[in-house]
Amino acid sequence: MMGLTIDKILVILVIAMFVLGPDRLPVYAKKLGEFVRGAKRMADGAKDRLRDEMGPEFDEVDWKQLDPRQYDPRRIIRDALVEDEREARAAARRARLAEAAQNRRAASGAVAGEQVDERGGLHFDEEAT
């Protein structure tokens, strides 16, 4: 993001002097100053109201983290896609683990001549005893 440097401010002032003329420039400069002061008062008032409503939590908030200029839409989309992919992998992994556990229970029941129910509990063969 480009910053407003002294050179740029001087160029803007020179252009404003040519466009507005030397007679109207002080009037518009005064209006601009009043506008900036009013905007600052409004921002300070909003900040004070927010501080009053939030209480002591206001000072604990990391405001830089909430700065919208730090968000890159490409990164947000990439992170969302990666997160979806991670969730899909985790779900597939859980399904494979559940299937493997079920296969182990079924195999252990078949080897011992016992039946295994859907909860993994063993049933003894009553005819064998």
Side-chain angles (χ1 to χ4, degrees):
M1 190 169 175
M2 300 175 61
L4 197 60
T5 62
I6 299 288
D7 297 339
K8 292 177 185 174
I9 292 172
L10 288 175
V11 169
I12 292 171
L13 287 175
V14 169
I15 292 172
M17 218 150 66
F18 282 116
V19 171
L20 298 175
D23 297 334
R24 291 186 293 173
L25 186 62
V27 174
Y28 283 105
K30 182 179 177 185
K31 287 182 181 181
L32 178 64
E34 290 171 356
F35 173 75
V36 170
R37 282 190 293 277
K40 184 171 179 356
R41 273 194 304 270
M42 285 180 13
D44 289 341
K47 187 176 177 183
D48 291 339
R49 280 193 306 272
L50 189 60
R51 180 176 277 128
D52 290 341
E53 290 180 17
M54 286 185 68
E57 294 175 4
F58 180 83
D59 295 326
E60 296 172 6
V61 174
D62 183 15
W63 296 106
K64 289 182 182 178
Q65 182 183 9
L66 301 174
D67 185 3
R69 293 175 292 182
Q70 74 175 345
Y71 296 111
D72 179 16
R74 294 170 296 198
R75 187 184 59 153
I76 292 170
I77 291 170
R78 183 182 64 237
D79 290 348
L81 292 175
V82 167
E83 184 177 324
D84 289 345
E85 185 178 320
R86 257 190 242 127
E87 288 175 5
R89 278 195 224 138
R93 187 177 312 119
R94 284 191 298 270
R96 283 194 311 268
L97 288 174
E99 183 181 345
Q102 186 177 9
N103 289 342
R104 278 195 305 272
R105 285 191 300 260
S108 67
V111 169
E114 301 165 335
Q115 295 177 353
V116 179
D117 70 358
E118 60 276 351
R119 293 173 300 180
L122 295 178
H123 290 277
F124 294 102
D125 185 8
E126 293 189 20
E127 293 179 6
T129 54

